[in-house]
C-alpha cells in the first residue's frame, strides 16, 4: 500500500479552502446549483472509506456527483489539495466531548482511543503522510483538544507537545500494523491461527532451539498467550499503558525538580 501525501503546491489557495466559512466554497460561476467544496470533500471521503485512496480519482468523484471531471477543478485545484481537505474534514468531525471529571491519565487515554477510532473509521488516513499536515480548523481543533488532556500531568509546555507527538505516533504505528495484518489475512485467505498451523511444521524442521534459545522460549510463550504472531489489541493496550506510565514519571520528576529549587 503506497504512502499518500498531503501538502499542497499552493499554500495560499489551500489555506483559503481549509478556512472557508461554513456553506462557502461555491465558485462565482458554478456550473451546477448546490455543488460546493463541502459536497466534493464529502463524496471523496465516502469513496476513500469504501475503496481506499488507491481507487480515489477526480473522475470517480465527478461521476458520483454527476458532473464532468473538469467541473471539479472549479472547486478543488487538484487531488493533492483534495487530500488535505479530506484529512482536515475527518479531523473536524472527531468527537471532542468535555471530560471535566477525568484525570489527566484518563483524558490522555481517551485521546489515544479517539485517534484509534478515527483510523478504524477511515483506514485511508493511516496511509497518509502528515509530515506537513493541513493547517485547517480540523487540525487546530484536534490539537487544542488533545493538548488540554494533559492538564494536571505536571508537564511543561514543550514536554506536553512532545508527549502528545509520542502518543499519536504510537497510535498511528499500531493502527498501521493492524491494517497490514488485516490486509495479509485478506490476501492470503488465512487467519493467523491457520497461517501458523500451516507453517509451524515446516519451521520445526529448520529451526534449532539450541541456537536461538531466547527466540524459542519467549516466542513460544508469546505465541501461546496471544494465539498468534501479533495481537493488535494487546499491542495497543500494552503500549498505551507504558506511555502513560512514562508520562506520569516525567511529570513526577519535574515536580520533584521544581520542589528542590
Amino acid at each position: 500500500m503506497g504512502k499518500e501525501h498531503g501538502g499542497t503546491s499552493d499554500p495560499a489557495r489551500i489555506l483559503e479552502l481549509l478556512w472557508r466559512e461554513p456553506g462557502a466554497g461555491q465558485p462565482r460561476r458554478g456550473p451546477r446549483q448546490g455543488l460546493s467544496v463541502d459536497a466534493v470533500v464529502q463524496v471523496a471521503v465516502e469513496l476513500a472509506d469504501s475503496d481506499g485512496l488507491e481507487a480515489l480519482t477526480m473522475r470517480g468523484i465527478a461521476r458520483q456527483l454527476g458532473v464532468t471531471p473538469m467541473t471539479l477543478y472549479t472547486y478543488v485545484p487538484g487531488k493533492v489539495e483534495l487530500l488535505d481537505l479530506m484529512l482536515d474534514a475527518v479531523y473536524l468531525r472527531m468527537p471532542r466531548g468535555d471530560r471535566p471529571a477525568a484525570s489527566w491519565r484518563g483524558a490522555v487515554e481517551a485521546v489515544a482511543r479517539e485517534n484509534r477510532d478515527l483510523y478504524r473509521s477511515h483506514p485511508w488516513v493511516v496511509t497518509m503522510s502528515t509530515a506537513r499536515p493541513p493547517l485547517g480548523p480540523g487540525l487546530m481543533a484536534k490539537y487544542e483538544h488533545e493538548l488540554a488532556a494533559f492538564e494536571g500531568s505536571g508537564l511543561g509546555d514543550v514536554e506536553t507537545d512532545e508527549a502528545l507527538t509520542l502518543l499519536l505516533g504510537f497510535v498511528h504505528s499500531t493502527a498501521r500494523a493492524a491494517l497490514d495484518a488485516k490486509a495479509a489475512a485478506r490476501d492470503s485467505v488465512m487467519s493467523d491461527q491457520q497461517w501458523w498451523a500451516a507453517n509451524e511444521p515446516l519451521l520445526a524442521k529448520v529451526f534449532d532451539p539450541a541456537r536461538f534459545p531466547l527466540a524459542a522460549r519467549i516466542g513460544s510463550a508469546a505465541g501461546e498467550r496471544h494465539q498468534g504472531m501479533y495481537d493488535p489489541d494487546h499491542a495497543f493496550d500494552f503500549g498505551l499503558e507504558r506511555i502513560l506510565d512514562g508520562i506520569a514519571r516525567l511529570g513526577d520528576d519535574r515536580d520533584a525538580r521544581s520542589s528542590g529549587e
Side-chain angles (χ1 to χ4, degrees), residues 4 14-15 48 59 82 111 145 193 240:
E4 294 285 349
I14 191 60
L15 283 175
R59 184 176 299 277
L82 178 60
V111 165
H145 170 73
Q193 290 83 356
L240 179 57

Side-chain angles (χ1 to χ4, degrees), residues 71-93:
T71 298
L72 294 186
Y73 294 103
T74 64
Y75 297 88
V76 180
K79 188 175 178 181
V80 170
E81 292 83 0
L82 178 60
L83 289 172
D84 278 345
L85 291 167
M86 291 166 59
L87 188 58
D88 201 67
V90 297
Y91 284 165
L92 195 59
R93 297 171 194 165

Side-chain angles (χ1 to χ4, degrees), residues 11-92:
R13 177 59 176 145
I14 191 60
L15 283 175
E16 178 186 343
L17 287 169
L18 284 166
W19 290 92
R20 67 194 182 279
E21 293 297 322
Q26 302 275 5
R28 293 178 181 176
R29 291 184 289 179
R32 176 184 170 186
Q33 291 293 327
L35 188 58
S36 66
V37 173
D38 294 325
V40 173
V41 172
Q42 178 60 31
V43 167
V45 168
E46 291 172 357
L47 287 174
D49 287 347
S50 62
D51 301 326
L53 289 184
E54 298 89 341
L56 185 68
T57 64
M58 300 297 276
R59 184 176 299 277
I61 297 168
R63 187 183 306 113
Q64 287 290 108
L65 290 167
V67 299
T68 64
M70 288 305 298
T71 298
L72 294 186
Y73 294 103
T74 64
Y75 297 88
V76 180
K79 188 175 178 181
V80 170
E81 292 83 0
L82 178 60
L83 289 172
D84 278 345
L85 291 167
M86 291 166 59
L87 188 58
D88 201 67
V90 297
Y91 284 165
L92 195 59

